[in-house]
Structures are given as C-alpha cells and as structure tokens.
Amino acid sequence: MEQNHYDLVVIGSGPAGQKAAICAAKLRKKVAIIERTRSVGGVCVHTGTIPSKTLREAVLYLSGLRQRSFYGRSYAVKDHIAMQDLVFRAQAVMAREIEVIKAQLLRNQVNTLEGTARFLDAHSVEVVRDDASLVVRGDNILIACGTRPAHDSQVPVDGKRIFDSDQVHLLDELPRELVVVGAGIIGLEYASMFAAVGVRVTLLDQRPILLDFADREIVESLCYQLRQLGTVFRLGEKVVSIGIDDERDRVFARLESGKTVHGQAMLYSVGRQANSDQLNLQAAGLTADGRGKLIVNEHFQTSVPHIYAAGDVIGFPALASTSMEQGRLASCHMFAKPSTMNSQQVPYGIYSIPEISMVGWTEEQLTQQKAPYEVGRARYAELAKGQMLGDDQGMLKILFNPDNLQLLGVHAIGDRAAEIVHIGQAVLALGGTMEYFRDAIFNYPTLAEAYKVAALDGLNKL
Ligand SMILES: Cc1cc2nc3c(=O)[nH]c(=O)nc-3n(C[C@H](O)[C@H](O)[C@H](O)COP(=O)(O)OP(=O)(O)OC[C@H]3O[C@@H](n4cnc5c(N)ncnc54)[C@H](O)[C@@H]3O)c2cc1C
C-alpha cells in the first residue's frame, strides 16, 4: 500500500474519530486521523464534556453546596469564588486527558495528521496546514468532524459580555447576573453551575417546558431546586433581539411578549452547527441538512457506502458516550465485525446541579403507548447514604410492568444519579424484573440501595 493510502481515513479526533481509529487499528488496519486543531480530543476534551464537568466539580467543591444541609445555607469552602478558581481544575484535567488520547493513538499506530481536511473526491482528502498540503486516500472514510455553537449574525457574541459554551472557560470573571438564552442541556447545566456560585441567573427559552424527553416529575424537581438557588425561568418566551448596552455595560434580550431581560452577561446557547460545511462534501457526492448534519443508515454509512459518519455530525443524541460507540460500530461494520447499539438502553446524564439521569421508557412514553406500568420511588432523604451526603431532595424512580414485573425505565435526580442509573441499565438490558431488586443485597449505606427501596415501594402497590 502506498504511503498516503489508508484502510481508514478519519476526519476529526473527538470521541467518535478516536474510537473508530483505535478499533480499526486493533483490527490491524492502516489508519490516519486528521485533526485541524493543534491538539487531539475534539469538543469533548477542549470545550465541552471534560471542561464543563470539571468546572462543575470545582463549583460543587468550592461552593460547599453539598455541605449546606449540615452547616447552613451560607456555608462555602471559599468566600469569594473567582472564575480562575473554577477553570484551574479544568485546565489540569484537560491536559491529562489530551496526553492519554495521544498515547492511545500512538500505541495503536494511528497516524495523526494535523491540518484541515476537505474532500477532493470520494476517496481522496486534502489535508491543509498553514500553506502546505498533503493528499491522503482512504478505502474507507469516517466523517467525525463534530459541531460548534450555532450563532446568529444579529447576536453580537463577543466572548466577554455575550459568550457561547466554547467561551465559558475564557471568561475573566464571574458575572453578578447572567441571562442564559436556550434552556437545552448545555444551557441548563451552565445555568445551574453559575447559580450554585451565587450568580443571579435568568433562563430564557421559547419552549414552554424543559427537557421534553425527560420524566416530568424529575424535571419539576430540578426546576424547584434551581429556583431554590435563585434561578428565574422565563419559558415559552421567544427572544426577538439581543444586544449590548455599552453605556450601562449591560446586555439585554427583548422578548416577543414585550418584556426586556437585562443582565451583566449572557450565555448564548441555542444549539449546535455541524462542521461539515468546511469539508467540500459535494466533491464526495454528499449533502448535509441546514444545520450541517449528515444522514446515515444503521451502520453509520452515508449515501456513499464507503464514507461513514458518526458523532455529533449525525445529530441526536450528540453525546460523547454515544459518539464513541458510533465510531467503534462504524469501524466494525467497515471491516466486517458487525455489532449493534440498542438505542432503548442508552443512558442520558444531564449534569445540572442537581444531576439527572435516565434509561429506558418514561411515564409519558408508556402512557402514549397505552402500556400499563407501575412506579416505585426511593427518596434520598429515606436513605442513610442520602443523609450522609446531605442530599435530601434526590430521588430514584423505577417504572415496571405490573403483570410480569419487568423493569421498563429508571429515572434519577440527585447526587451521583448518572452513576447509579447504570445498575438499572444492566438489569434492563438483561430483561430483569423487580424481583431482582427486591431480593438483592446491596452494600449499606449506598445510594444503590435506592433500587431496593424503590422496588419494595412499587411492589407494595400491586
Ligand atoms: C458544553 C458541552 C458539554 C457537554 N457535556 C457532555 C456530557 O456531559 N456528556 C456527554 O456524553 N456529552 C457531552 N457533550 C457532548 C460531547 O462533547 C459531544 O457529543 C462529543 O464531543 C462529540 O464527539 P465527536 O467526535 O462527534 O466530535 P467533536 O468532539 O466535536 O470532535 C470533532 C473534531 O473534528 C475536528 N474537525 C472538524 N472539522 C475538521 C476538518 N475539516 N478537518 C480536520 N478536523 C476537523 C474538530 O477540530 C474536532 O476536534 C457536551 C458538549 C458540550 C458543548
């Protein structure tokens, strides 16, 4: 095989690209991964998952929020929390993550090429770096170019007073008041982090309800707890214009209803735009939708069968967790090692404060399907571990079929919700029933014990 000819050329070194490249390399294929930035890892490591979740850990630690039920509402580890305190930890974690990924690629002999990729034809990709370029050819190509924050030319995003989620960790100081436009997952997560460190947050969204795919009872509890942190919700409100009032050094959002919401700063978080517009897709015979998303089949093949796409560029659910698996599955399919993903057993973790997690069906979906179900609940306040952690608002809720006791869904809010949901995920995947939770012995005291308490609660209703 000639030097620049590969079994697989991957465009983008985020979670989808990395896992596809490593999977193919493990199958003894010759692989190149192209990354336009100076460092591997993608949005996940540089501006998304890792920095935001590390920032959240810093917020939880420094604000002392978890300890307040013991030491009072004004308790904090540090009296004056500065932006630098929060991003310091994120920078350290990001640097280590980048080293881990680099080492993995190197160990697996994946050739990392720095430069911006664009198609020349369906098998050839030009890699442009500064004023030099290189052409690589791939028997297979994976597009894993990810997304960037969506902008509107009418909104003056300056990275200081109006910023997007990529710019949060570049802020010099914490604002006193923050307007968050867009109450999707990213908007909500950041809104709750800022609220937890004492910023007065107003959350705006034109949708009348938050997180419409999640359990309503859990979302109501989240709203209640965010209000306790001082967050103001303006839902069902369309923003018609956004601007900066230089004289007063304030930002504002005018709403269709006639109201104007002011703040010292604004997080503009209205969705994401795929980076496929920079790939010269037409040269490969491909087209994308208005937000740059590519359509793929169940094997992650685009309309050109040897060109695959995975991760955020194919849209929902657009998570690091699912992107990794999509990348791996795409490589498996290319090199005849097929396996599949069960979309019903994909867990979702929303790292607001408090965090939410879920797997399986919601009450709303089951009601729509006219599928009978019963509910069992365990409140953290009833668990010894919940008491010890100081989380008296958390809850685990399990849905099950009252006829055969099969588990149908798990929904959690509170400390470590995104961890404990995996117990439910395993039982769900194995077709397990409430009898498992009723009869199992769990370590004590743990939050996992919530499964037993919830199962007993649910079974007692039958
Ligand atoms: C604020 C925030 C918080 C998040 N939190 C979570 C979370 O808690 N849990 C979770 O599971 N997910 C989370 N996500 C989502 C997660 O980050 C993404 O789903 C994931 O990064 C997508 O991976 P990817 O491989 O598709 O693309 P990306 O990670 O976006 O990587 C794409 C890479 O392709 C490169 N690229 C693009 N175009 C080219 C080109 N032409 N040539 C060469 N290289 C190119 C880019 O530079 C980038 O490095 C979060 C996202 C954000 C923004």
Side-chain angles (χ1 to χ4, degrees):
M1 196 181 266
E2 64 187 87
Q3 202 193 349
N4 289 337
H5 188 166
Y6 293 89
D7 295 308
L8 170 61
V9 170
V10 177
I11 302 175
S13 70
Q18 283 160 41
K19 299 301 169 196
I22 287 168
C23 174
K26 295 246 185 256
L27 295 170
R28 306 204 176 286
K29 303 297 169 190
K30 187 178 169 198
V31 186
I33 190 164
I34 309 170
E35 175 52 55
R36 65 177 176 181
T37 63
R38 299 220 170 251
S39 189
V40 291
V43 160
C44 177
V45 171
H46 295 274
T47 52
T49 317
I50 303 291
S52 67
K53 263 77 268 184
T54 318
L55 208 69
R56 180 180 185 275
E57 288 300 325
V59 164
L60 284 172
Y61 172 68
L62 293 170
S63 67
L65 201 72
R66 280 182 173 138
Q67 318 304 326
R68 287 188 193 163
S69 62
F70 299 108
Y71 304 117
R73 287 179 67 87
S74 57
Y75 176 80
V77 170
K78 197 164 185 286
D79 280 341
H80 176 72
I81 300 172
M83 200 60 207
Q84 200 43 40
D85 297 323
L86 301 178
V87 294
F88 172 74
R89 186 163 170 164
Q91 281 158 352
V93 175
M94 281 155 71
R96 283 182 219 146
E97 266 296 298
I98 292 166
E99 286 314 310
V100 170
I101 297 167
K102 270 196 206 157
Q104 273 174 352
L105 294 173
L106 203 65
R107 200 169 56 236
N108 286 285
Q109 293 172 356
V110 173
N111 194 7
T112 306
L113 303 174
E114 194 184 306
T116 302
R118 61 192 294 279
F119 283 100
L120 296 178
D121 61 47
H123 281 283
S124 313
V125 175
E126 184 182 25
V127 187
V128 184
R129 181 184 169 189
D130 302 327
D131 42 13
S133 82
L134 164 81
V135 176
V136 290
R137 283 184 62 75
D139 291 342
N140 297 280
I141 296 175
L142 175 79
I143 302 176
C145 61
T147 57
R148 57 183 184 271
H151 282 192
D152 177 331
S153 57
Q154 303 297 311
V155 178
V157 176
D158 64 359
K160 287 189 181 339
R161 286 170 297 181
I162 303 183
F163 55 91
D164 63 30
S165 64
D166 278 5
Q167 297 162 333
V168 172
H169 61 291
L170 302 174
L171 293 180
D172 293 331
E173 54 184 35
L174 279 171
R176 285 185 311 282
E177 308 138 332
L178 179 71
V179 181
V180 177
V181 177
I185 297 178
I186 294 172
L188 255 178
E189 288 184 350
Y190 276 125
S192 68
M193 286 183 229
F194 281 105
V197 288
V199 176
R200 286 196 297 279
V201 176
T202 305
L203 198 54
L204 302 174
D205 202 299
Q206 61 181 347
R207 292 166 287 195
I209 57 168
L210 289 178
L211 306 176
D212 56 4
F213 58 92
D215 180 89
R216 287 301 89 206
E217 194 179 354
I218 298 278
V219 175
E220 276 165 28
S221 172
L222 172 68
C223 290
Y224 170 79
Q225 294 184 62
L226 285 177
R227 283 196 180 99
Q228 297 288 97
L229 290 174
T231 306
V232 173
F233 291 94
R234 296 249 181 249
L235 301 180
E237 294 270 22
K238 190 166 180 214
V239 175
V240 287
S241 70
I242 285 174
I244 299 173
D245 179 345
D246 280 315
E247 251 170 55
R248 297 170 61 210
D249 196 23
R250 313 247 315 142
V251 297
F252 62 85
R254 290 196 211 292
L255 310 182
E256 200 174 53
S257 60
K259 296 189 247 338
T260 302
V261 178
H262 296 272
Q264 196 193 352
M266 179 182 289
L267 169 61
Y268 187 67
S269 177
V270 296
R272 315 240 343 144
Q273 170 75 40
N275 294 322
S276 60
D277 49 350
Q278 292 146 5
L279 289 177
N280 193 26
L281 287 175
Q282 62 278 20
L286 293 170
T287 47
D289 74 7
R291 281 222 159 176
K293 308 247 162 69
L294 290 168
I295 294 175
V296 291
N297 66 14
E298 73 274 26
H299 305 301
F300 304 100
Q301 287 170 294
T302 64
S303 55
V304 180
H306 71 274
I307 304 182
Y308 291 69
D312 285 10
V313 69
I314 64 169
F316 187 82
L319 294 168
S321 53
T322 46
S323 300
M324 291 183 208
E325 190 56 5
Q326 290 166 355
R328 191 185 71 82
L329 292 175
S331 270
C332 286
H333 187 262
M334 280 170 214
F335 302 115
K337 276 249 169 211
S339 58
T340 49
M341 188 192 303
N342 185 339
S343 58
Q344 200 45 49
Q345 282 148 18
V346 171
Y348 296 96
I350 298 166
Y351 298 86
S352 43
I353 297 176
E355 77 192 44
I356 289 182
S357 198
M358 70 203 80
V359 64
W361 301 109
T362 62
E363 285 199 64
E364 293 70 29
Q365 289 166 331
L366 291 169
T367 304
Q368 234 173 28
Q369 293 166 24
K370 297 192 172 35
Y373 68 89
E374 191 47 88
V375 185
R377 289 180 187 78
R379 297 182 197 281
Y380 282 18
E382 298 162 336
L383 304 173
K385 187 73 183 190
Q387 296 289 353
M388 290 172 193
L389 293 171
D391 184 346
D392 50 11
Q393 301 285 329
M395 177 174 66
L396 177 82
K397 172 173 170 182
I398 50 187
L399 311 180
F400 62 96
N401 182 324
D403 301 325
N404 60 15
L405 306 187
Q406 208 154 32
L407 179 64
L408 299 171
V410 176
H411 304 272
I413 181 165
D415 220 1
R416 294 167 218 188
E419 297 283 352
I420 63 169
V421 80
H422 295 116
I423 300 169
Q425 181 191 16
V427 173
L428 199 64
L430 298 170
T433 66
M434 285 304 99
E435 286 144 322
Y436 169 75
F437 295 129
R438 182 194 64 198
D439 300 338
I441 294 176
F442 290 90
N443 280 332
Y444 179 85
T446 55
L447 290 177
E449 194 209 352
Y451 280 95
K452 190 169 183 110
V453 174
L456 291 171
D457 176 60
L459 290 170
N460 283 339
K461 293 178 183 163
L462 300 183

